[in-house]
Amino acid sequence: MSSDKDFSDRTVGYVPRKDTEVKLPRTTRVKNKTPAAVQITAEQILREARERQEAKIHPPKQKITDSSELSDYRLRTRKEFEDKIRRARWNVQVWVKYAKWEESQKDYARARSVWERAIEGDYTNHTVWIKYAEFEMKNKFVNSARNVWDRAVTLLPRVDQLWYKYAHMEKMLGNFAGARHVFERWMKWSPDQEGWLCYINLELKFNEFERARSIYERFVLCHPTVSAYIRYAKFEMKCGQVELARKVYERASELLGDDDDGEEAETLYVAFAEFEEGCKEVERARGIYEYALVHIPKERVEALYEKFVAFEKQYGGKEGIEDALVGKKRFQYEDEVRKNPLNYDSWFNYLRLEEEETSIGNKDHRIREIYERAVANVPPAEEKRYWQRYIYLWINYALYEEIETKDVERTRDVYRACLKLIPHNKFSFAKIWLLAAQFEIRQLNLTGARQILGNAIGKAPKDKIFKKYIEMELQLANIDRCRKLYERYLEWSPENCFAWRSYAEFEVSLSEKDRARSIFELAISQPALDMPELLWKSYIDFEISEKELERTRALYERLLDRTKHYKVWVSFAKFEASAAIETKKDCIRRARAIFERANAYYKNSAAKEERATLLEDWVNMEAGFGSLGDVSVVQSLLPKKLKKRKLISREEDGSTEYQEYTDYLFPDESQTTANLKILEAAHRWKKQKAGECV
């Protein structure tokens, strides 16, 4: 029994874990997710919640009927405030509420005691001092308020609000001497500008201009800033003292005109210029602007230029306006080249501006200085694409020295410096070599020009240099020099067909036929040529012009040994057809023989398209022979054009598609003809079946 009782005692108050779990409602799945016909906005939900909100419960109002109840109420409230202060002495709001409650009970002594206790706890809180003084002023305890303010500014002299309130109270009481005394005490602590300006406004209110001027002097000594001097100068202008205002601006310019930042100096010079403009001193204002543009840092001049341009548009003439605009553009270009000295387009624009400007003094020196600054910015990488714009700076520099300043020696020095700077072992510029040589020619210095071009060929040979050098020597009728140059040209570039052809044409112009023929023979014997067809054509045309038919035929045969291109066959046939020495029939016979050889060659090759083109040219030639021609012979050889499709695969995605192409069927292709007949028979059978079904 006892054990059962113990068991029952142990299970008393036991709740299974399942019963203690918080059962959340099952989440219902929304079956219909379409929007409702009537939508409820958030505003409606808030309005409904507001309407259903219960009224706030307010404590019942108490009415005090006799002095004993009032004493109990005061005792109870003071005890509550004291308990709060005991718990949170650092909380200023509790002290303020306590003092205001005592004030509402008209117990000013107790209220003053609370304020004093609050200050004793934390005298650095200026808010307590302000509320304490306002309490005294509101209840017209003026001397007590003055005492509070005096203690406050003595303990917290760096809190400007205390000084403002103290001086304002004295001013409202009409005690201007007291207010002046407060400001004087305050000024000993060197407050900010607003404090000084309040003091000055106090003196100006009673027309004490001399006192205000002396305060301004102390003000600019305490705060030597541009804004302080500008205020001082404007004060003098209001007083009608123009000379004194100008002296203030001059003092400020001497003291603050060399500001490193430039922003303060810009503001000062603009204000000074506007002051002189207001005094109708236009020349003085212009001089101030020009002085400022020179001495202010370049990155701060943009706004100043805007004002200077506006000033010149209003007071200046055409030249003055142009000078101002040029100065503005000059500043912009200076800023661009300062930010990115490798932007050569900015240098070009800057130099173009200076070269077009004619009113500046010592123009050549200034432009030369800019050119020197520009060419000093050498591209960082020795790659030609980075130097292509840069090299034109040197070219323009040299042309300017030659054309504008007419300084021959300086121009020659510019070309030398440029050629010395270029890394000729990696790349070179033929243009600069040729310009330097042409300059020496204009100076009648042929030796210098030859030396420059010789150095160019030795250091950085180029096609253009060889051509111009040969052209120069040819104009001077130096035949031997031209031959030596052609030989150097061909040694440097033996695969250059243009050089071989030019050399041969040069010898032909001198009636040196054998030399020209030897040059052509050397040229076509080269193992590698860039345009061999050009060279062979020139050689053949040369032999034709010399009426050397056998040599021409031999050349065509040699050319056919190297290439079987259909154009060579056609050209050979046309040559035979136009041979003027033999009879017309012999010419036609020879031309047909060439075409027959070509047709026989292509018959055994897979070049069907070339064969078809050859036959078409043969037909045209036979038609051109007139009555001597026989077009029917060639027409029997002409192929039929067939459109076919072939399966091709794309490299991008591996897909396949059919592509149409044109194939040629020649009469002598029997196998293909048989296949074609089978296809035609199948086509006829298909059409017959289709007719039977109908």
Side-chain angles (χ1 to χ4, degrees), residues 65-253:
T65 56
D66 55 5
S67 59
S68 61
E69 289 182 4
L70 179 60
S71 299
D72 292 340
Y73 165 71
R74 287 177 175 175
L75 181 63
R76 186 171 61 255
T77 306
R78 287 191 181 103
K79 187 175 183 302
E80 291 174 359
F81 275 117
E82 291 293 341
D83 292 340
K84 290 180 181 180
I85 289 172
R86 194 178 301 110
R87 288 193 301 269
R89 179 176 293 273
W90 49 269
N91 194 343
V92 176
Q93 295 300 325
V94 177
W95 291 103
V96 172
K97 289 180 181 179
Y98 191 7
K100 287 185 176 181
W101 181 82
E102 292 291 357
E103 181 183 359
S104 66
Q105 299 300 314
K106 305 298 182 183
D107 196 344
Y108 301 119
R110 284 182 177 275
R112 193 174 287 112
S113 174
V114 173
W115 286 116
E116 290 292 340
R117 289 169 60 195
I119 290 171
E120 183 180 356
D122 184 12
Y123 74 92
T124 60
N125 193 336
H126 66 281
T127 304
V128 179
W129 287 103
I130 292 172
K131 292 185 178 296
Y132 186 11
E134 288 176 352
F135 154 73
E136 298 288 2
M137 290 190 296
K138 185 168 61 175
N139 294 290
K140 299 181 180 180
F141 299 118
V142 177
N143 289 330
S144 298
R146 189 176 284 120
N147 182 28
V148 172
W149 287 123
D150 191 67
R151 290 163 58 197
V153 298
T154 302
L155 293 173
L156 303 173
R158 293 296 180 187
V159 181
D160 293 341
Q161 192 176 5
L162 298 175
W163 292 102
Y164 282 125
K165 296 271 186 185
Y166 191 6
H168 180 68
M169 185 194 74
E170 296 291 354
K171 189 165 60 172
M172 295 299 293
L173 293 172
N175 186 12
F176 300 110
R180 185 179 290 119
H181 178 68
V182 172
F183 274 115
E184 285 294 336
R185 288 177 59 190
W186 188 14
M187 295 306 110
K188 292 179 181 179
W189 292 96
S190 300
D192 59 5
Q193 294 191 15
E194 295 300 324
W196 289 95
L197 295 177
C198 286
Y199 189 13
I200 292 169
N201 291 333
L202 175 70
E203 298 295 348
L204 292 177
K205 187 175 181 179
F206 299 101
N207 298 324
E208 294 288 346
F209 297 108
E210 291 300 327
R211 283 183 175 273
R213 185 174 287 112
S214 64
I215 296 169
Y216 263 120
E217 288 290 340
R218 293 160 58 192
F219 174 36
V220 296
L221 290 176
C222 180
H223 296 282
T225 60
V226 171
S227 59
Y229 276 102
I230 291 175
R231 288 180 182 275
Y232 188 10
K234 288 182 178 179
F235 161 74
E236 295 292 357
M237 279 294 294
K238 287 182 181 179
C239 296
Q241 301 293 332
V242 177
E243 291 299 327
L244 292 178
R246 184 175 288 117
K247 288 181 179 179
V248 171
Y249 277 120
E250 291 173 355
R251 284 170 54 192
S253 301

Side-chain angles (χ1 to χ4, degrees), residues 622 629-637:
E622 291 289 347
D630 188 2
V631 179
S632 60
V633 176
V634 187
Q635 284 182 344
S636 62
L637 301 175

Side-chain angles (χ1 to χ4, degrees), residues 493-540:
S493 179
E495 74 282 354
N496 192 335
C497 292
F498 177 82
W500 287 105
R501 190 182 69 172
S502 299
Y503 192 9
E505 289 175 352
F506 167 72
E507 294 294 350
V508 170
S509 66
L510 298 175
S511 299
E512 294 285 348
K513 307 297 190 310
D514 295 335
R515 293 179 69 95
R517 189 173 286 113
S518 300
I519 292 168
F520 276 123
E521 288 294 335
L522 282 173
I524 62 176
S525 64
Q526 296 298 316
L529 293 171
D530 54 0
M531 296 177 66
E533 66 278 3
L534 177 68
L535 194 59
W536 280 94
K537 185 178 184 304
S538 299
Y539 193 6
I540 291 171

Side-chain angles (χ1 to χ4, degrees), residues 19 21 79 85 98 102 207 222 245 251 295 363 388 485 541 572 594 612 645:
D19 295 337
E21 290 180 350
K79 187 175 183 302
I85 289 172
Y98 191 7
E102 292 291 357
N207 298 324
C222 180
R251 284 170 54 192
H295 290 81
K363 175 182 175 181
Q388 286 175 343
L485 288 173
D541 291 343
F572 193 6
I594 300 299
R645 293 193 305 169

